[in-house]
Amino acid sequence: MMGSGKTTVGKILAQVLSYSFFDSDALIEKTMDGTSVAEIFTLYGESFFRDKETEVLRKLSLIDRHVISTGGGAVTRPINWKYMQKGITLWLDVPLEALARRIAAVGTDSRPLLHHESGDAYTKAFKRLSALFEERGESYAQAKARVSLEKIAFRLGHGDVSKLTPTVIAIEALEQIEGLLEEEGGMAIAGF
């Protein structure tokens, strides 16, 4: 979901693994001569953006040893899953209330899917995130690994997921990835 920390955690994972890092939204903006995602939605519509997203994921699926932060809606197209399943897919599962607080704190201007809701920033974000999760939840659950911030917070004795650092979240992600590789008979991740 938007605001879950995909880019921040993805950069940490890439650094630890000595992989390249790609943000699919940033790559789309680059192909559009710097036009922001919000502007692409306004000028060309969501379908156009999703077509660009699919093309970026197709190209990235052809290379190895990288971490990709996708847009939260990438899961809405089955073809994107085909490309993403060439690696280990990871769902950063953040409670909607926490996501809404994060997004409200920085503003909703850069979030094109939030522009049609009414109310204050938190209410707008929470309403739309709830609707998006209703649409996408089953797709997110298809990820090979799920990093539940609620579970991490509980295990560490935190009452609020906002107290978790991106590094703590990345460590949990790495542990899950290592578990998947061991289950599949692959090599374990060393060095963390």
Side-chain angles (χ1 to χ4, degrees), residues 112-161:
L113 294 178
L114 300 180
H115 292 176
H116 304 293
E117 298 294 336
S118 60
D120 62 276
Y122 174 84
T123 302
K124 285 170 56 169
F126 185 77
K127 279 183 190 176
R128 188 62 178 137
L129 289 168
S130 296
L132 288 172
F133 188 77
E134 186 69 30
E135 294 169 19
R136 301 173 181 173
E138 288 182 24
S139 296
Y140 290 143
Q142 292 179 40
K144 290 182 182 175
R146 175 182 173 205
V147 176
S148 168
L149 272 64
E150 284 183 317
K151 286 182 181 179
I152 299 169
F154 178 79
R155 189 177 68 238
L156 296 176
H158 298 304
D160 184 356
V161 299

Side-chain angles (χ1 to χ4, degrees), residues 42-54:
T42 300
L43 296 171
Y44 305 103
E46 183 175 1
S47 182
F48 177 88
F49 173 81
R50 297 289 171 216
D51 290 344
K52 293 289 185 186
E53 183 173 58
T54 297

